[in-house]
Amino acid sequence: MADVQRTLVLIKPDAVQRELVGKVVERFERKGLKIVAMKLAHLDEVTLSEHYGHLKEKPFFGDLLKFMMQTPVVAMIWEGIGVIDEVRKIVGSTNPREADAGTIRADMSMNVPSNMVHASDSVEAAQVEIKRFFRDEEVFTYEKLTDRFHFGEGI
Ligand code: IDP
Ligand code: MG
């Protein structure tokens, strides 16, 4: 069986404000990834301090939290073969002005912290982040007609 994984994606407040939620979702759908969970969530300081714990000492930490609390975010789980790396590739590198053309961040944003999306960066992070944002009953397993193209032998 191929390495089917799940990863957490957040559509950040800048993308919500700029009415780009659909464009982000479209990129992942078009690639052939499967959406298995999705909701709006207004994040609180405790959740965000945990989520961005690795940046606690950075001078922009306070502003990052404020930014992330401006509107609800769209939290999603995407499933697919090697999906953690695939999604990071589609999202592009942290600074949108350094990200490769064709990525979400390069194509639709110009700045940090307002770089459109968060995506888990490792198997361990994906496990922790999925648990952080979703209860088990909010995550779905289902068959899609296109699974044979994206998950099977490709025929
Ligand atoms: P990532 O989102 O590409 O994984 P991280 O280094 O984990 O990047 O940083 C998390 C988020 O913090 C970034 O996506 C961005 O929104 C914000 N951020 C990172 N560096 C800066 C900075 O220098 N100034 C302001 N915000 C930043
Ligand atoms: Mg990160």
Side-chain angles (χ1 to χ4, degrees), residues 12 52 54-55 60 64 67 88 92-94 105 112-115 117-119 121:
K12 296 181 179 182
Y52 285 130
H54 60 295
L55 300 171
F60 59 82
L64 173 61
F67 161 68
R88 290 286 295 192
S93 58
T94 308
R105 284 169 169 170
V112 283
S114 43
N115 58 1
V117 258
H118 165 83
D121 63 5

Tab-separated table of all heavy atoms in Angstrom, residues 12 52 54-55 60 64 67 88 92-94 105 112-115 117-119 121, ligand 1:
chain	number	residue	atom	x	y	z
A	12	LYS	N	-5.523	31.121	6.478
A	12	LYS	CA	-5.318	32.188	7.464
A	12	LYS	C	-6.249	33.382	7.223
A	12	LYS	O	-6.819	33.538	6.131
A	12	LYS	CB	-3.854	32.639	7.408
A	12	LYS	CG	-2.857	31.546	7.815
A	12	LYS	CD	-1.421	32.069	7.765
A	12	LYS	CE	-0.442	30.995	8.202
A	12	LYS	NZ	0.962	31.498	8.215
A	52	TYR	N	2.241	27.774	17.521
A	52	TYR	CA	3.432	28.501	17.079
A	52	TYR	C	4.497	28.552	18.180
A	52	TYR	O	5.303	29.487	18.227
A	52	TYR	CB	3.033	29.908	16.619
A	52	TYR	CG	2.361	29.916	15.257
A	52	TYR	CD1	1.156	30.574	15.052
A	52	TYR	CD2	2.949	29.277	14.167
A	52	TYR	CE1	0.541	30.585	13.798
A	52	TYR	CE2	2.336	29.274	12.915
A	52	TYR	CZ	1.143	29.933	12.736
A	52	TYR	OH	0.547	29.932	11.484
A	54	HIS	N	7.239	27.112	18.525
A	54	HIS	CA	8.629	27.163	18.038
A	54	HIS	C	9.059	28.601	17.713
A	54	HIS	O	10.234	28.848	17.459
A	54	HIS	CB	8.802	26.262	16.812
A	54	HIS	CG	7.942	26.618	15.633
A	54	HIS	ND1	6.564	26.537	15.663
A	54	HIS	CD2	8.260	27.062	14.390
A	54	HIS	CE1	6.068	26.913	14.488
A	54	HIS	NE2	7.089	27.243	13.695
A	55	LEU	N	8.101	29.540	17.737
A	55	LEU	CA	8.432	30.935	17.391
A	55	LEU	C	8.306	31.877	18.588
A	55	LEU	O	8.398	33.100	18.434
A	55	LEU	CB	7.512	31.415	16.256
A	55	LEU	CG	7.591	30.612	14.951
A	55	LEU	CD1	6.492	31.041	13.990
A	55	LEU	CD2	8.967	30.767	14.292
A	60	PHE	N	8.294	38.917	16.369
A	60	PHE	CA	6.987	39.053	15.715
A	60	PHE	C	5.917	38.132	16.297
A	60	PHE	O	4.787	38.097	15.792
A	60	PHE	CB	7.129	38.811	14.207
A	60	PHE	CG	7.680	37.452	13.832
A	60	PHE	CD1	6.864	36.330	13.777
A	60	PHE	CD2	9.035	37.295	13.546
A	60	PHE	CE1	7.376	35.090	13.435
A	60	PHE	CE2	9.556	36.046	13.196
A	60	PHE	CZ	8.730	34.950	13.151
A	64	LEU	N	1.977	37.943	15.265
A	64	LEU	CA	1.521	36.726	14.579
A	64	LEU	C	0.234	36.210	15.232
A	64	LEU	O	-0.737	35.879	14.541
A	64	LEU	CB	2.635	35.665	14.624
A	64	LEU	CG	2.290	34.274	14.096
A	64	LEU	CD1	1.902	34.310	12.619
A	64	LEU	CD2	3.483	33.316	14.297
A	67	PHE	N	-2.654	38.584	14.471
A	67	PHE	CA	-3.054	38.363	13.071
A	67	PHE	C	-3.930	37.116	12.942
A	67	PHE	O	-4.983	37.138	12.282
A	67	PHE	CB	-1.795	38.245	12.200
A	67	PHE	CG	-2.018	37.582	10.869
A	67	PHE	CD1	-2.775	38.189	9.871
A	67	PHE	CD2	-1.473	36.326	10.605
A	67	PHE	CE1	-2.984	37.572	8.657
A	67	PHE	CE2	-1.671	35.692	9.385
A	67	PHE	CZ	-2.432	36.323	8.409
A	88	ARG	N	3.084	21.018	1.261
A	88	ARG	CA	4.114	22.044	1.497
A	88	ARG	C	4.648	22.577	0.156
A	88	ARG	O	4.925	23.764	0.015
A	88	ARG	CB	5.280	21.481	2.328
A	88	ARG	CG	4.942	21.180	3.783
A	88	ARG	CD	4.797	22.406	4.660
A	88	ARG	NE	6.017	23.165	4.838
A	88	ARG	CZ	6.171	24.135	5.756
A	88	ARG	NH1	5.174	24.444	6.582
A	88	ARG	NH2	7.291	24.800	5.868
A	92	GLY	N	4.333	26.506	-0.885
A	92	GLY	CA	5.532	27.326	-1.131
A	92	GLY	C	6.200	27.782	0.144
A	92	GLY	O	5.671	27.620	1.240
A	93	SER	N	7.380	28.387	0.011
A	93	SER	CA	8.168	28.709	1.200
A	93	SER	C	7.579	29.914	1.946
A	93	SER	O	6.784	30.678	1.405
A	93	SER	CB	9.645	28.898	0.858
A	93	SER	OG	9.783	29.906	-0.090
A	94	THR	N	8.009	30.059	3.192
A	94	THR	CA	7.369	30.959	4.161
A	94	THR	C	7.212	32.392	3.645
A	94	THR	O	6.145	32.986	3.767
A	94	THR	CB	8.192	30.962	5.473
A	94	THR	OG1	8.368	29.604	5.879
A	94	THR	CG2	7.478	31.737	6.574
A	105	ARG	N	1.506	30.677	-2.019
A	105	ARG	CA	2.062	31.878	-1.398
A	105	ARG	C	2.648	32.830	-2.432
A	105	ARG	O	2.442	34.043	-2.359
A	105	ARG	CB	3.101	31.486	-0.335
A	105	ARG	CG	2.463	30.972	0.954
A	105	ARG	CD	3.483	30.355	1.877
A	105	ARG	NE	2.943	30.100	3.224
A	105	ARG	CZ	3.578	29.400	4.149
A	105	ARG	NH1	4.771	28.882	3.893
A	105	ARG	NH2	3.029	29.211	5.339
A	112	VAL	N	4.707	38.443	5.133
A	112	VAL	CA	4.477	37.670	6.353
A	112	VAL	C	4.008	38.635	7.444
A	112	VAL	O	4.412	39.800	7.410
A	112	VAL	CB	5.757	36.940	6.841
A	112	VAL	CG1	6.032	35.726	6.010
A	112	VAL	CG2	6.958	37.862	6.903
A	113	PRO	N	3.154	38.222	8.368
A	113	PRO	CA	2.648	36.860	8.546
A	113	PRO	C	1.513	36.488	7.598
A	113	PRO	O	1.057	35.353	7.595
A	113	PRO	CB	2.143	36.868	9.996
A	113	PRO	CG	1.713	38.279	10.237
A	113	PRO	CD	2.670	39.128	9.443
A	114	SER	N	1.079	37.450	6.747
A	114	SER	CA	-0.110	37.221	5.921
A	114	SER	C	0.241	36.448	4.652
A	114	SER	O	0.177	36.982	3.542
A	114	SER	CB	-0.752	38.557	5.575
A	114	SER	OG	0.239	39.503	5.220
A	115	ASN	N	0.588	35.172	4.834
A	115	ASN	CA	1.012	34.338	3.703
A	115	ASN	C	0.012	33.210	3.407
A	115	ASN	O	0.407	32.116	2.995
A	115	ASN	CB	2.435	33.805	3.938
A	115	ASN	CG	2.548	32.996	5.205
A	115	ASN	OD1	1.563	32.797	5.924
A	115	ASN	ND2	3.742	32.524	5.501
A	117	VAL	N	-1.654	30.540	4.126
A	117	VAL	CA	-1.921	29.187	4.633
A	117	VAL	C	-0.879	28.698	5.621
A	117	VAL	O	0.303	29.081	5.549
A	117	VAL	CB	-1.948	28.132	3.487
A	117	VAL	CG1	-3.339	27.745	3.096
A	117	VAL	CG2	-1.160	28.570	2.298
A	118	HIS	N	-1.332	27.828	6.503
A	118	HIS	CA	-0.418	27.017	7.312
A	118	HIS	C	-0.532	25.587	6.817
A	118	HIS	O	-1.634	25.128	6.489
A	118	HIS	CB	-0.805	27.048	8.796
A	118	HIS	CG	-0.114	25.951	9.566
A	118	HIS	ND1	1.173	26.086	10.025
A	118	HIS	CD2	-0.515	24.693	9.881
A	118	HIS	CE1	1.533	24.939	10.613
A	118	HIS	NE2	0.528	24.089	10.534
A	119	ALA	N	0.571	24.861	6.795
A	119	ALA	CA	0.531	23.427	6.476
A	119	ALA	C	1.541	22.682	7.332
A	119	ALA	O	2.671	23.161	7.526
A	119	ALA	CB	0.837	23.211	5.002
A	121	ASP	N	4.482	20.392	8.622
A	121	ASP	CA	5.754	20.230	7.908
A	121	ASP	C	6.442	18.880	8.113
A	121	ASP	O	7.546	18.670	7.611
A	121	ASP	CB	6.706	21.380	8.260
A	121	ASP	CG	7.086	21.401	9.726
A	121	ASP	OD1	6.704	20.474	10.477
A	121	ASP	OD2	7.781	22.354	10.133
B	1	IDP	P1	5.786	28.081	7.780
B	1	IDP	O1	4.401	28.650	7.956
B	1	IDP	O2	6.257	28.173	6.369
B	1	IDP	O3	5.912	26.676	8.347
B	1	IDP	P2	7.186	29.081	10.151
B	1	IDP	O4	8.639	29.422	10.211
B	1	IDP	O5	6.713	27.872	10.888
B	1	IDP	O6	6.800	29.012	8.597
B	1	IDP	O7	6.402	30.371	10.658
B	1	IDP	C1	5.037	30.300	10.944
B	1	IDP	C2	4.356	31.558	10.450
B	1	IDP	O8	4.863	32.699	11.164
B	1	IDP	C3	4.608	31.900	8.981
B	1	IDP	O9	3.804	31.170	8.080
B	1	IDP	C4	4.288	33.389	8.964
B	1	IDP	O10	2.875	33.601	8.935
B	1	IDP	C5	4.840	33.834	10.316
B	1	IDP	N1	6.205	34.373	10.182
B	1	IDP	C6	7.342	33.673	9.921
B	1	IDP	N2	8.410	34.479	9.861
B	1	IDP	C7	7.940	35.741	10.084
B	1	IDP	C8	8.574	37.033	10.165
B	1	IDP	O11	9.773	37.204	9.992
B	1	IDP	N3	7.747	38.093	10.424
B	1	IDP	C9	6.394	37.967	10.624
B	1	IDP	N4	5.792	36.763	10.566
B	1	IDP	C10	6.537	35.659	10.297
